[in-house]
Amino acid sequence: LPPFIIMTGHGNETIAVKMMKLGAIDYLVKDSVFLDLLPSVVEQAVNNIEIQQRLAVVEKEKAALQEQLNQAQKMEAIGTLAGGIAHDFNNILTAILGYTEMALEYIPESNPAHDMLPKVIEASLRARDLVKQILDFSRKSAMTRIPIQIHLLIKEAIKLLRASIPTTIEIKQSIHADCGYILADPTQVHQVLMNLCTNASQAMEDGGVLQVTLDCVTLSTEDLINENELGPGHYVRLTVSDTGTGIDPVTLGRIFEPYFTTKGVGKGSGMGLAVVHGVVKRHEGMVRVESALRQGTTFSVFFPQVDKEFEQETRTAAETLSFRGNERLLVVDDDPVIVHMLQKNFTDLGYQVVTETDSLAALERFRGQPDAFDLVITDQTMPKMTGEQLAMALLAIRPKLPVVLCTGFSTKIDDRRAAEIGIKAFIMKPFINNDLAEVARKLLDPQPAEKQPLTPANK
């Protein structure tokens, strides 16, 4: 019922109580002062209604903020878990990838195992990407944001999609090339599109239409209700629509929860949309979803548009490098399996390799012969002395010593911090053996003075 005031000629208290229980705001008896009281009673009733409405809005906003807090706490919990396992897990993957690569070189193509080992590498790389997705979602991975023209990235990604999406699904695109620039990590934006399109294709098992649209929009304050971290302005909107099964309202409220999935066993990890949500939030954007059962689903991702247009850096393809050499390397890692793998790989490439599983022992060895090594490769997370501390001690002895720092995961150091203390290359585990060999070769080969220091690998 709408708010109402009871007016009666009877002064019966029982009737008054009954009416108030039914929802009456006030109760007036038509007596000699009735007309005098009526205006003030109506005014007070209107004020009470306005207060109740404001309280309702406050409660709604409080509930929304509580939901945001709950989501943030979930992300922090998963981030702590992900960070805890990432280092050890990536170390394991490094060994699996490295030894499998070397095994491929020793096994002749006529051996049936030769065709199986690439599958091991493929699975290991998928595992690496999964760890990175978890770290991306939990905001624990390094992110390099640069000005990009997103339409170029989207067009390239759609080409790759065609090979992985069933031919029963038609892919349509409407990509506006005049959307300007966004400040983003290209790899993560690519991941957002791939995850959304994969999710859409899984909703159309019997075929359908996948529509990808990129355009520019201007959002007002009214458009950003409940988006407290965003401000009005120009945004680039990426829309992915499907003609699939749609999502019911209850499920719709949970789709961004980590590990939540309605798919059968083996068909989904429940991380795809959670990663999308985490990446977009890190880019100061937002995701909106519209869906109904049997009417398909539309995901709209909004990235803030960069006002200033940046000139994109153009790069030529690097010449093919030979990774072989005969220089002297010092390899330091507390994991004997990885030490053995790196020693074997670099020895096969012609290098003279000395290894240590103790960082303090490595430092003492170097102090005894500071000119005996041309390059040092060290892990970051080690007992007694971290890779960062070891690098600083080595560089104090030989300031121009090339040092490569490897890590599976660290909150202590990133590529910027590494560059600040003089480390020439910062590499995330797990890595392909040839990637590390290429980094080593580039550092050992004379470089023109105008060339910049080597950028981080496998980030």
Side-chain angles (χ1 to χ4, degrees):
L1 291 174
F4 64 93
I5 299 172
I6 290 296
M7 296 180 293
T8 178
H10 303 282
N12 190 313
E13 290 184 0
T14 303
I15 297 176
V17 171
K18 184 177 181 180
M19 291 300 101
M20 297 298 283
K21 287 182 177 180
L22 289 175
I25 298 174
D26 211 334
Y27 178 87
L28 283 177
V29 178
K30 295 178 182 179
D31 53 18
S32 58
V33 295
F34 166 71
L35 293 178
D36 294 330
L37 292 175
L38 183 59
S40 61
V41 170
V42 171
E43 181 181 1
Q44 182 62 41
V46 170
N47 289 337
N48 289 340
I49 292 170
E50 291 177 350
I51 290 173
Q52 290 174 1
Q53 290 174 339
R54 286 198 294 269
L55 287 174
V57 171
V58 169
E59 286 298 320
K60 185 176 180 181
E61 292 176 349
K62 180 181 176 182
L65 289 173
Q66 184 63 46
E67 181 60 30
Q68 291 179 17
L69 176 61
N70 292 341
Q71 183 67 14
Q73 289 173 337
K74 289 179 185 177
M75 292 174 67
E76 183 63 28
I78 290 183
T80 301
L81 174 63
I85 67 171
H87 176 265
D88 291 342
F89 193 65
N90 282 335
N91 267 355
I92 295 169
L93 288 175
T94 299
I96 294 173
L97 280 167
Y99 281 112
T100 304
E101 284 182 89
M102 289 190 288
L104 266 174
E105 297 176 4
Y106 286 97
I107 297 177
E109 294 185 10
S110 58
N111 191 315
H114 190 276
D115 294 331
M116 300 176 187
L117 291 178
K119 300 298 182 184
V120 177
I121 294 176
E122 181 181 338
S124 299
L125 292 176
R126 285 204 306 270
R128 178 193 68 183
D129 293 342
L130 179 59
V131 173
K132 188 175 186 302
Q133 281 193 36
I134 296 173
L135 292 175
D136 286 343
F137 165 74
S138 59
R139 306 185 181 190
K140 293 290 185 181
S141 69
M143 180 175 70
T144 303
R145 294 172 65 183
I146 60 174
I148 62 171
Q149 289 182 300
I150 188 174
H151 74 277
L152 299 174
L153 187 150
I154 298 302
K155 285 184 176 180
E156 186 64 30
I158 291 175
K159 292 179 183 177
L160 298 175
L161 276 168
R162 183 64 279 176
S164 60
I165 289 180
T167 55
T168 54
I169 296 175
E170 179 185 1
I171 300 179
K172 293 183 177 181
Q173 56 179 297
S174 176
I175 310 298
H176 293 198
D178 57 352
C179 289
Y181 291 78
I182 65 171
L183 196 61
D185 183 320
T187 302
Q188 294 193 7
V189 173
H190 181 275
Q191 188 68 57
V192 165
L193 179 62
M194 299 297 283
N195 285 11
L196 289 177
C197 290
T198 299
N199 190 72
S201 68
Q202 291 173 345
M204 298 185 288
E205 293 184 347
D206 297 326
V209 177
L210 172 60
Q211 175 75 47
V212 180
T213 304
L214 186 73
D215 59 5
C216 304
V217 295
T218 300
L219 300 181
S220 65
T221 304
E222 289 73 21
D223 297 323
L224 297 171
I225 295 175
N226 296 328
E227 296 290 344
N228 300 326
E229 298 178 0
L230 303 183
H234 301 297
Y235 286 78
V236 176
R237 178 174 59 187
L238 171 63
T239 305
V240 176
S241 303
D242 66 66
T243 58
T245 55
I247 308 172
D248 66 82
V250 174
T251 302
L252 196 62
R254 301 188 61 191
I255 57 174
F256 294 120
E257 292 182 13
Y259 303 111
F260 174 77
T261 180
T262 58
K263 303 179 180 70
V265 177
K267 292 186 177 181
S269 65
M271 284 301 298
L273 293 180
V275 168
V276 168
H277 185 269
V279 168
V280 173
K281 286 295 183 183
R282 291 184 71 183
H283 284 77
E284 298 161 7
M286 67 176 179
V287 186
R288 288 185 173 170
V289 191
E290 297 177 10
S291 186
L293 288 176
R294 294 177 293 280
Q295 295 182 25
T297 303
T298 297
F299 284 87
S300 297
V301 178
F302 298 82
F303 293 105
Q305 191 179 53
V306 177
D307 293 332
K308 180 181 177 182
E309 291 192 355
F310 295 80
E311 292 184 5
Q312 284 192 303
E313 180 182 4
T314 57
R315 299 181 181 179
T316 59
E319 296 180 357
T320 303
L321 298 175
S322 171
F323 305 145
R324 299 187 63 80
N326 58 7
E327 288 88 350
R328 298 160 298 176
L329 310 184
L330 175 60
V331 175
V332 188
D333 197 304
D334 63 317
D335 189 332
V337 175
I338 292 180
V339 165
H340 178 268
M341 178 199 74
L342 293 178
Q343 181 181 37
K344 174 65 176 171
N345 184 56
F346 278 105
T347 300
D348 288 350
L349 290 172
Y351 293 91
Q352 304 170 58
V353 185
V354 174
T355 64
E356 289 285 357
T357 56
D358 185 305
S359 50
L360 289 178
L363 177 58
E364 289 304 311
R365 180 186 286 272
F366 187 84
R367 279 178 177 158
Q369 295 179 297
D371 296 318
F373 302 102
D374 301 299
L375 177 75
V376 175
I377 300 172
T378 178
D379 185 35
Q380 162 62 12
T381 305
M382 297 182 290
K384 301 179 183 178
M385 176 180 277
T386 67
E388 176 187 2
Q389 294 169 333
L390 174 61
M392 293 175 68
L394 298 177
L395 291 169
I397 300 171
R398 262 182 64 190
K400 294 185 179 181
L401 174 71
V403 177
V404 180
L405 182 65
C406 309
T407 182
F409 173 76
S410 176
T411 59
K412 306 284 187 183
I413 191 168
D414 56 18
D415 56 302
R416 292 183 182 179
R417 169 62 183 162
E420 287 174 0
I421 64 178
I423 294 172
K424 294 297 188 295
F426 179 83
I427 300 180
M428 294 298 298
K429 295 178 180 178
F431 45 74
I432 301 295
N433 278 341
N434 278 347
D435 289 345
L436 182 58
E438 179 182 5
V439 168
R441 193 65 262 156
K442 284 183 176 180
L443 292 179
L444 291 167
D445 287 338
Q447 299 291 317
E450 68 272 11
K451 283 198 175 183
Q452 298 297 317
L454 189 67
T455 55
N458 190 26
K459 291 195 67 181

